[in-house]
Amino acid sequence: MELRQVIDLFIKRYGGTEEGIRVFTSPGRVNLIGEHTDYNGGFVFPAAISMRSLIVLRPREDDIIRLSATDLEVVVEADIHKLNDYRDLKWGNYQLGVAYELQQDGYDLQGCDMLYDDTVPLGGGLSSSAAIQVATALAFSTMADEKAGVSREADMVYLAKVSQRSEHNYVGVKCGIMDQFASAMGQKNKAIFLNCKTLDYELVPVEIDGYKIVLMNTNKKRSLADSKYNERRGECEEGLAQLQTVLPDAECLGDISMKEFEEHKGVITNPVVRKRVEHVIAEDDRVLRSVEALKKNDLDAFGKLLIASHNSLRDLYEVTGIELDTLAEEAIQIDGCIGARMTGAGFGGCAVSIVREDAVEAFIQKIETVYTKKIGYAPTCYISDIGNGGREIKVF
Ligand code: GLA
């Protein structure tokens, strides 16, 4: 929806006038490369996209939070003093989880009426949840600061961390920091080369003139994705613990080089765990090489790294599945596509591809036909640009 429509709907749903209305937004992200490395202290290379979560809000006189969305009829009501009680909500737990974590950090929250408008496809691997969390964290922290008479710039890295914490504690997924960091810190036409151990980062211009980023949504209903995600995380921890018996200085898999892994991989007793670890360590190296390739504008090299990443996620990490494999493998057969891979956690969600601009239209048609024929339902393709991170939009 256009912003004006969201504001009109807000007034229709909650009453009142434009007075006091504020608008906050934060985007989804596409991870270009570096998958399942973040919670291993490795490197990632995501970028914010223009699909986003948008919040129109107005402060209330009491300590009630009311939440609603443009595509939902319901209004969820929560008491600021009972924020621990809403974990099992079907909708609204992402928002209230963030509010709860801010409160744990000492924020005196402001009661608000809030209307969400989300354009990131839900469960599509483009971080629809991080977009909601970071926008919410920015909104609540800004309003609480104003209530307390504190004037300061929002600390977006802190808000990314709070959002991640709420996903761990409130939602129950032990995600890394990548999604929330990208949503909070993204910048137009730049990708974020992030060291997830130190949170040092560099914004790298993505100048792929003549090419487009095409996102392809499997439209697969994800099931058990959260538990499989946590299971992969556990396997990495197991592999790390065994490697640490011979590499005591390694604090995370991100500290271990490919050479060290080759030398010591025998200490990992479970072959499945060994495969998982191999993926993480090699993927980390691919991120470094991808950043170099993009800086040199060597798109061919970048494309090859994307393909290698997908193959590793398919064969070693085993998080792809027939839908993502079909998209990534068929995409690179089509004229103009220089590389494709799954993006995000996997188990469904989206694949990302880099496609020559003049070939994009034919590419989308072809991939839709091939995928539909093989899988039985259609994918959705989006031509994506790289946008800005979380911010307040001053409208009034
Ligand atoms: C999800 C998580 C991220 C990251 C990716 C896989 O998007 O939220 O932290 O682990 O999966 O790279």
Side-chain angles (χ1 to χ4, degrees):
M1 258 189 200
E2 292 297 318
L3 175 56
R4 186 64 244 178
Q5 288 173 290
V6 187
I7 293 172
D8 289 344
L9 186 61
F10 178 96
I11 292 169
K12 199 163 157 225
R13 204 161 284 182
Y14 292 114
T17 63
E18 283 172 359
E19 205 183 323
I21 282 183
R22 304 279 287 267
V23 180
F24 297 88
T25 188
S26 207
R29 64 95 191 93
V30 54
N31 188 20
L32 297 178
I33 194 162
E35 220 63 85
H36 291 279
T37 45
D38 62 351
Y39 51 84
N40 287 302
F43 298 110
V44 291
F45 197 36
I49 55 180
S50 51
M51 291 186 261
R52 48 69 184 147
S53 176
L54 182 108
I55 307 170
V56 172
L57 71 74
R58 190 172 48 212
R60 294 171 56 92
E61 299 285 315
D62 56 14
D63 287 349
I64 296 293
I65 295 168
R66 289 201 292 175
L67 302 168
S68 188
T70 50
D71 58 354
L72 276 183
E73 291 292 319
V74 294
V75 176
V76 170
E77 197 169 302
D79 182 336
I80 280 180
H81 305 292
K82 295 183 185 154
L83 285 178
N84 203 11
D85 295 353
Y86 304 102
R87 290 167 192 267
D88 298 327
L89 282 181
K90 246 178 114 184
W91 183 83
N93 62 338
Y94 282 100
Q95 291 85 338
L96 296 174
V98 167
Y100 175 76
E101 291 297 337
L102 285 170
Q103 196 174 51
Q104 296 302 300
D105 282 358
Y107 281 87
D108 179 12
L109 298 180
Q110 166 73 55
C112 289
D113 287 335
M114 307 170 90
L115 180 65
Y116 284 74
D117 183 61
D118 300 313
T119 58
V120 192
L122 284 185
L126 300 175
S127 295
S128 49
S129 49
I132 291 174
Q133 290 162 338
V134 174
T136 305
L138 179 61
F140 276 125
S141 62
T142 304
M143 301 314 292
D145 275 352
E146 285 179 20
K147 183 177 177 187
V150 175
S151 159
R152 59 178 165 185
E153 280 272 301
D155 178 348
M156 296 306 290
V157 174
Y158 163 73
L159 296 178
K161 289 187 194 162
V162 167
S163 300
Q164 182 200 23
R165 223 167 67 204
S166 80
E167 178 107 14
H168 285 196
N169 301 339
Y170 212 87
V171 183
V173 180
K174 299 276 176 216
C175 67
I177 189 66
M178 167 169 75
D179 303 348
Q180 291 82 5
F181 196 96
S183 182
M185 301 295 289
Q187 256 187 40
K188 194 156 181 58
N189 296 331
K190 292 188 176 136
I192 308 171
F193 172 38
L194 173 67
N195 176 334
C196 298
K197 183 180 179 189
T198 60
L199 295 192
D200 289 338
Y201 68 97
E202 183 189 338
L203 293 166
V204 179
V206 181
E207 283 156 357
I208 47 173
D209 286 346
Y211 285 83
K212 290 276 176 205
I213 298 173
V214 181
L215 302 175
M216 305 173 283
N217 193 339
T218 58
N219 288 333
K220 179 190 179 184
K221 263 198 148 340
R222 290 212 253 186
S223 60
L224 293 177
D226 293 355
S227 63
K228 286 194 198 140
Y229 183 91
N230 288 344
E231 179 187 293
R232 291 294 180 282
R233 196 170 172 144
E235 289 166 339
C236 290
E237 281 161 13
E238 188 182 326
L240 173 65
Q242 293 187 324
L243 283 169
Q244 280 170 330
T245 59
V246 284
L247 295 167
D249 291 341
E251 290 171 6
C252 54
L253 292 181
D255 287 342
I256 298 172
S257 68
M258 210 50 216
K259 191 164 163 279
E260 287 169 320
F261 171 73
E262 285 302 333
E263 223 169 285
H264 300 294
K265 65 184 177 194
V267 297
I268 303 178
T269 45
N270 180 340
V272 172
V273 171
R274 207 179 305 134
K275 285 203 296 186
R276 308 293 191 241
V277 171
E278 180 178 347
H279 162 75
V280 171
I281 294 177
E283 180 79 352
D284 228 15
D285 191 51
R286 279 188 286 270
V287 179
L288 296 176
R289 288 191 281 146
S290 297
V291 172
E292 284 315 306
L294 263 196
K295 283 183 177 168
K296 283 193 283 187
N297 219 357
D298 185 350
L299 281 188
D300 277 344
F302 181 55
K304 291 203 176 87
L305 288 160
L306 297 185
I307 296 168
S309 167
H310 184 87
N311 293 345
S312 175
L313 288 154
R314 181 191 60 208
D315 301 335
L316 300 178
Y317 218 68
E318 297 180 284
V319 290
T320 55
I322 175 121
E323 299 82 1
L324 283 168
D325 288 341
T326 301
L327 287 178
E329 287 163 17
E330 295 292 342
I332 55 175
Q333 307 298 326
I334 303 172
D335 174 52
C337 175
I338 56 158
R341 59 180 287 278
M342 56 152 275
T343 185
F347 317 105
C350 278
V352 51
S353 55
I354 312 284
V355 184
R356 212 177 56 236
E357 208 166 346
D358 63 17
V360 164
E361 208 176 308
F363 171 85
I364 291 178
Q365 253 176 32
K366 180 89 204 227
I367 199 78
E368 282 176 355
T369 309
V370 180
Y371 182 87
T372 309
K373 194 160 165 228
K374 188 153 175 192
I375 304 296
Y377 52 86
T380 313
C381 295
Y382 322 90
I383 300 171
S384 176
D385 51 3
I386 298 184
N388 284 315
R391 63 207 178 276
E392 179 168 7
I393 300 176
K394 302 273 184 192
V395 256
F396 300 114

